[in-house]
Structure formats: C-alpha cells, structure tokens
Amino acid sequence: MLIKTVGILSLGEMGEQWARVLASHGVRICTCTRGRSPRTLETAQRCSALEMETIDTLVEASDLIVSLVPAEASLEVGRSVAQAVKSTGSRPLFLEANAISPARAEEIAGLLAESGGDCVDGGVIGPASRLADGTFTLLSGPRAHELVALGSLGLSVEVVGDKVGQA
C-alpha cells in the first residue's frame, strides 16, 4: 500500500507523535478540527497537519485513517468514519489503534464493513515519546499486511494475525 496521506483522529499525545514521525518521512497529515479544543488546534498547527472541517473531507483526502483516541471515544470515531465512507464513496483503510477490547475492535470493523470500508486492528505498545525508537504497533486483520509499509515511514510494526481483534 502506498501511503501518501494519513488522517489522524486525534492529535493527543500519541496522535501528535504519529503525525511528527510520519511527516518527517514525507507523509501528508490531515486531521479533523471541527469542535476540537484550542489545544488540539495548536497541535495541528505545530504538526503542520492539514485541518479538515469534517470527517467526510478527511476520509476523501486520506489513504489511511488512524484512530488514536481515548477508548471510550473509539466506537463513536469508528461510527463517524464508517458513515463518511458510506456517504463519500472513498475507501481509505482504517487503523483502529486504541486500547480497546477485541470485541470492540470487531464491532468497529463491522461498522466499516457495512459501509464498504476495511479496518485493521492495531495495538500500540509503548509510550508516545519513544514512537520512533522503541514503541511498536501490532497489527491484525485481513489487510494488516498492507500496513507493513509504515515500517519504511519511521514506525515499528508487526503483523500478528489475519483477524481483527488479535492485535
């Protein structure tokens, strides 16, 4: 998979580090800033992230969307992206990279599938501060192998299975 543009939801501590690492390897970063806090807006500017007004525009602009939100927000983010996939017809790969249960990851993957999209389950192991030199991301799902390309973009990744929920 050629990854030129990554949409990151959202730019908290981990999201900001993903944005910095990927941008340092020439990847264009997008995020949705509508309704976000002033801190998130400042982070988007610091990371030179393109600020998209809606999830629809983020989905249309991205090759990959990475969800890095608090666990309790993961389902709503997955639902919003699934709705945008359905309404726009765009099909970026969705990486659910939050600390959630396998059942929740499967639920989110189901929402994406119903909308015509695909989901990879991800588990980030380690602190945001060491994303480029020690933290790694486990990946699982039918299309997880496509995200091995993140390894050439400054991230450590390992595919652990072909079913969502294994990461």
Side-chain angles (χ1 to χ4, degrees):
M1 175 178 188
L2 183 59
I3 302 171
K4 292 182 178 180
T5 303
V6 174
I8 298 180
L9 299 169
S10 111
L11 293 175
E13 183 180 3
M14 187 64 77
E16 180 176 2
Q17 291 307 314
W18 274 67
R20 288 180 183 279
V21 168
L22 292 171
S24 75
H25 287 80
V27 175
R28 187 172 76 152
I29 304 299
C30 301
T31 193
C32 185
T33 55
R34 177 182 272 175
R36 303 298 305 173
S37 71
R39 182 194 175 285
T40 300
L41 296 173
E42 290 170 12
T43 301
Q45 291 171 353
R46 255 194 332 267
C47 295
S48 299
L50 297 171
E51 298 178 45
M52 303 293 175
E53 281 292 315
T54 67
I55 297 292
D56 283 4
T57 56
L58 180 77
V59 164
E60 289 176 320
S62 301
D63 303 310
L64 172 67
I65 296 177
V66 182
S67 177
L68 293 161
V69 299
E72 62 272 8
S74 64
L75 183 59
E76 184 54 39
V77 167
R79 186 175 288 121
S80 295
V81 171
Q83 289 171 345
V85 164
K86 187 173 185 176
S87 68
T88 65
S90 294
R91 302 283 183 266
L93 189 54
F94 183 75
L95 174 56
E96 168 45 66
N98 299 299
I100 59 175
S101 70
R104 176 57 52 92
E106 290 168 356
E107 182 179 6
I108 292 168
L111 292 170
L112 267 291
E114 289 172 12
S115 298
D118 292 307
C119 179
V120 171
D121 179 23
V124 180
I125 311 298
S129 63
R130 299 211 44 222
L131 189 64
D133 66 353
T135 294
F136 61 97
T137 303
L138 302 176
L139 304 169
S140 70
R143 293 184 61 192
H145 64 280
E146 294 179 43
L147 295 184
V148 170
L150 292 171
S152 66
L153 299 174
L155 300 172
S156 295
V157 296
E158 180 182 344
V159 176
V160 296
D162 61 359
K163 295 180 182 170
V164 169
Q166 293 177 298

